[in-house]
Amino acid sequence: MVKTVLITGGSSLLALNWALAIKGQYNVVLALHNRDIEVGGVKTFFFSLNDKESIKKAFQKYSPDIVIHTA
């Protein structure tokens, strides 16, 4: 079973490079704040780290096995 990795700060250089490096091994989900981006083979969504409900919904929807916090 392929694990899901959720990366916050999804439009940052660190997050994008990390996503590109692991997207063949994991289901990668990038959490975006302001800037909309597209990366082939990677899911993206908008959410706010300042909103508990937004974080809760993200965890319920994507059920990440691993969270990488780059925001």
Side-chain angles (χ1 to χ4, degrees):
M1 181 169 180
V2 178
K3 293 188 178 194
T4 298
V5 177
L6 185 146
I7 305 175
T8 64
S11 61
S12 71
L13 186 60
L14 175 60
L16 288 171
N17 280 303
W18 207 329
L20 290 171
I22 66 171
K23 73 177 185 173
Q25 301 164 338
Y26 298 93
N27 293 322
V28 179
V29 181
L30 290 175
L32 308 173
H33 182 66
N34 290 333
R35 194 175 348 166
D36 190 12
I37 60 165
E38 291 185 28
V39 179
V42 174
K43 294 178 186 170
T44 60
F45 72 100
F46 286 93
F47 93 134
S48 172
L49 289 170
N50 297 322
D51 179 3
K52 288 181 188 178
E53 195 61 33
S54 178
I55 295 168
K56 182 179 174 182
K57 285 180 184 178
F59 274 75
Q60 288 173 339
K61 182 174 182 176
Y62 296 106
S63 300
D65 298 291
I66 301 166
V67 176
I68 301 171
H69 182 53
T70 69

